[in-house]
Amino acid sequence: MKTGAVVVAAGMSSRMNDFKPMMKNGSITIINRVITTLKQAGVDIVVVITGFQSKMLEKHLSKENIIFLYNENYETTEMLDSAKIGLQYLMNKCDKILFTPADIPLFSVHTVKNF
């Protein structure tokens, strides 16, 4: 049974003075924490949807063995539109799919394994 995850990171962090996925959570960035937890839980395919700051994010995560998809309309669309991009990519590739925004890192391996 294959498990996939869609991590949306296309938003512009407009209410923050910083790009949220790249902010620190302990010793690593928030997006690294999200991806690390997913991988430790055994997720087979991690898809990150980028938009704003896409090149910086892809460079930061270049060694993570994940798939990047770009929401070219990130400035005018909602998070759901980014989620649809990832879900469409994973359709027929996985038996289960997790979804998370890139800026919510505080979930555990146990939570992922037991969904």
Side-chain angles (χ1 to χ4, degrees):
M1 182 181 311
K2 272 197 168 180
T3 302
V6 175
V7 181
V8 292
M12 296 186 294
S13 303
S14 57
R15 292 177 301 225
M16 299 290 285
N17 291 330
D18 205 351
F19 183 48
K20 288 189 281 186
M22 296 295 289
M23 293 173 73
K24 292 285 186 163
N25 179 252
S27 62
I28 64 175
T29 61
I30 290 173
I31 188 79
N32 278 115
R33 175 92 47 215
V34 169
I35 290 168
T36 298
T37 302
L38 292 170
K39 287 184 169 189
Q40 286 176 344
V43 172
D44 300 294
I45 305 171
V46 177
V47 178
V48 175
I49 311 306
T50 65
F52 182 69
Q53 301 286 356
S54 62
K55 299 241 186 284
M56 177 177 58
L57 197 56
E58 290 181 27
K59 182 178 179 184
H60 178 68
L61 299 172
S62 63
K63 296 180 181 167
E64 292 294 334
N65 192 29
I66 58 178
I67 295 159
F68 296 102
L69 299 176
Y70 182 69
N71 178 354
E72 62 189 38
N73 299 311
Y74 70 90
E75 292 182 77
T76 59
T77 58
E78 302 292 327
M79 185 186 302
L80 179 59
D81 298 295
S82 292
K84 287 178 183 179
I85 292 168
L87 293 170
Q88 186 173 26
Y89 176 84
L90 288 174
M91 191 180 342
N92 300 318
K93 292 180 175 72
C94 299
D95 303 295
K96 298 191 297 185
I97 300 173
L98 293 157
F99 167 81
T100 186
D103 59 353
I104 303 178
L106 300 178
F107 59 91
S108 69
V109 170
H110 178 77
T111 301
V112 175
K113 285 185 175 183
N114 291 296
F115 87 99

